[in-house]
Amino acid sequence: MDRLPVEVVGNILSHLRAARDVVIASTTCRKWREACLNHLHMLSFNSDDWPVFRDLTTSRLEILITQTIFQTKGIQGLSILMDGVDEFSASAVIAWLMYTRETLIPRLPCPEIAITDAQVTVELTSQTLRKVYIEAISLDKFSLEADNLEKLHLKDCALELFELSGKGTLKHFKMDDVSILHLDIIDPMDDLETIDVSNFTIIWSKFYQIISKSSRLKRLRLWNVVFDDEVDFVDVELIALCFPELKYLGLSYELRDELKEGVLHYCLQGSSSMENVTVLDLGWTVLDENFSDWVECLLERCLNLKKIIIHGVVSETKTHVECHMLASFTSSIVRLMRKYIHIDVQFVYE
């Protein structure tokens, strides 16, 4: 080990990833401390790595993480996952980002991070950032300017305003359990290949305006999406017309009671087919007599379908009406699939 170059030692320590293991290993000798300081590239703080993390207060965790990060100079990958911590202070998070900003993105220029005091606002600017994953944050405003962004994933966030601007390089856009009052995407969405939105409320016209020009879209998933306007359904005709290259379509059956009578009318409206869709992913939260008809009208549009996955929610305590509804649905699907014997059918119940 004494003959190994200090850069190689740093690479070995980087493969350990877990911050506790790295710190312990760095105490071996002066050479290993130098490797940790100058040549450590990856660092991970995870409560699963060391149970003691769960016993520390948030302020103590912040101090521990800060001290560890500040003993490095070349971090290119940083992961912090702590169970039981509702939120870290903004000052600590910004300190971590500002300290590592020149190395987390190996090319210059470096990302620019700005914080304003008038409201809880984060502005992130980068010409080289390609992937962004944001989880469990609550802000008045989050502004992201990234000219080469390809993947954006927001999860479990509450934002009053989210702004995205760039040069149209975004290919994968995913939101899961996100609350956004105002979604402003200036970035052209022409190259989008994947849209995956679940547990989200938005005005359909606004959302359609954002995604309508994504003619190269291959995967579209809208799951438990509530449209906060008079339109409370996904317009399948518009999907067929706007996304001719679509291969995967995932939709959940979520309608207000007053609109269920008209679901077939809206679904059958128009005659455009989705010839490239080979996989349908459909599901319900509350089953009713229209669901199987809704499935059928989608099947009729997908001329080359190979697989359909049906998701359902089945309560532990079922009333006679619920049992009858489930039995009726099962019979309807059996009759329906006799017409489509070439399609693989799967059921996933929760």
Side-chain angles (χ1 to χ4, degrees):
M1 294 295 291
D2 292 339
R3 296 180 181 178
L4 287 177
V6 68
E7 294 85 356
V8 176
V9 176
N11 190 41
I12 293 173
L13 293 176
S14 296
H15 281 80
L16 290 178
R17 297 180 67 90
R20 175 177 179 268
D21 296 337
V22 171
V23 171
I24 293 175
S26 66
T27 61
T28 302
C29 61
R30 183 172 62 183
K31 182 177 182 179
W32 283 44
R33 285 194 294 273
E34 181 187 349
C36 183
L37 176 64
N38 297 311
H39 303 288
L40 183 70
H41 304 307
M42 302 294 295
L43 198 56
S44 172
F45 297 87
N46 194 316
S47 53
D48 292 335
D49 295 334
W50 193 30
V52 176
F53 278 140
R54 294 188 173 91
D55 299 329
L56 300 178
T57 63
T58 301
S59 59
R60 180 56 186 158
L61 277 174
E62 291 176 348
I63 294 172
L64 186 63
I65 293 172
T66 302
Q67 289 176 338
T68 306
I69 293 176
F70 281 19
Q71 292 176 20
T72 68
K73 292 184 177 179
I75 293 296
Q76 297 178 7
L78 178 62
S79 174
I80 301 175
L81 297 173
M82 290 292 173
D83 292 337
V85 178
D86 292 332
E87 60 182 23
F88 289 113
S89 65
S91 58
V93 175
I94 295 305
W96 304 334
L97 292 175
M98 295 300 290
Y99 185 80
T100 57
R101 64 192 290 267
E102 294 186 2
T103 56
L104 278 181
I105 306 300
R107 306 176 185 88
L108 299 176
C110 297
E112 295 181 4
I113 303 170
I115 305 297
T116 62
D117 295 330
Q119 55 182 350
V120 184
T121 300
V122 171
E123 297 179 2
L124 176 60
T125 304
S126 172
Q127 295 182 6
T128 58
L129 201 61
R130 295 185 182 277
K131 299 178 182 179
V132 172
Y133 175 77
I134 303 170
E135 181 177 358
I137 65 169
S138 179
L139 297 170
D140 292 327
K141 178 182 177 181
F142 191 103
S143 178
L144 175 61
E145 182 180 348
D147 290 343
N148 290 285
L149 188 67
E150 295 180 358
K151 293 185 178 181
L152 174 62
H153 185 181
L154 305 178
K155 181 179 180 181
D156 192 22
C157 297
L159 307 170
E160 287 197 17
L161 172 61
F162 179 77
E163 292 181 344
L164 173 65
S165 59
K167 294 185 177 179
T169 57
L170 190 65
K171 288 182 171 57
H172 306 279
F173 179 47
K174 184 174 182 178
M175 291 194 299
D176 182 13
D177 198 11
V178 175
S179 173
I180 300 178
L181 293 182
H182 302 285
L183 179 63
D184 191 3
I185 298 182
I186 305 172
D187 186 2
M189 308 286 271
D190 298 359
D191 290 339
L192 263 181
E193 296 178 1
T194 300
I195 296 175
D196 189 338
V197 180
S198 58
N199 303 306
F200 186 62
T201 299
I202 193 171
I203 297 176
W204 166 252
S205 58
K206 177 67 174 179
F207 186 68
Y208 174 71
Q209 181 183 359
I210 292 173
I211 69 172
S212 61
K213 295 183 180 180
S214 307
S215 59
R216 299 177 184 176
L217 197 69
K218 303 292 192 300
R219 294 176 61 87
L220 174 62
R221 181 174 180 266
L222 303 175
W223 210 262
N224 293 337
V225 176
V226 177
F227 297 114
D228 194 17
D229 52 12
E230 294 181 357
V231 179
D232 195 22
F233 61 92
V234 176
D235 194 323
V236 180
E237 178 69 10
L238 287 180
I239 289 177
L241 292 173
C242 292
F243 313 125
E245 298 183 17
L246 199 66
K247 295 182 178 180
Y248 166 92
L249 177 60
L251 298 174
S252 62
Y253 180 77
E254 304 289 339
L255 287 174
R256 292 195 300 263
D257 290 338
E258 61 267 26
L259 288 179
K260 287 182 179 178
E261 292 297 327
V263 63
L264 289 181
H265 168 72
Y266 292 122
C267 191
L268 292 172
Q269 196 172 33
S271 58
S272 299
S273 62
M274 295 180 282
E275 296 182 357
N276 290 315
V277 173
T278 57
V279 179
L280 268 179
D281 209 345
L282 307 176
W284 79 76
T285 300
V286 179
L287 183 62
D288 65 32
E289 66 277 2
N290 290 317
F291 181 76
S292 56
D293 295 328
W294 181 69
V295 172
E296 183 175 9
C297 82
L298 286 168
L299 282 172
E300 291 176 351
R301 288 179 179 266
C302 303
L303 306 179
N304 297 301
L305 194 68
K306 296 181 179 178
K307 183 177 182 179
I308 181 171
I309 307 168
I310 297 178
H311 298 256
V313 176
V314 182
S315 61
E316 294 182 4
T317 304
K318 293 177 285 295
T319 66
H320 175 73
V321 174
E322 289 174 328
C323 290
H324 176 74
M325 188 69 67
L326 185 59
S328 176
F329 160 74
T330 304
S331 300
S332 298
I333 290 296
V334 170
R335 289 194 298 268
L336 178 61
M337 296 319 298
R338 286 173 180 165
K339 295 170 53 179
Y340 301 93
I341 58 175
H342 62 286
I343 298 177
D344 179 24
V345 184
Q346 295 183 10
F347 294 90
V348 180
Y349 289 152
E350 298 178 8

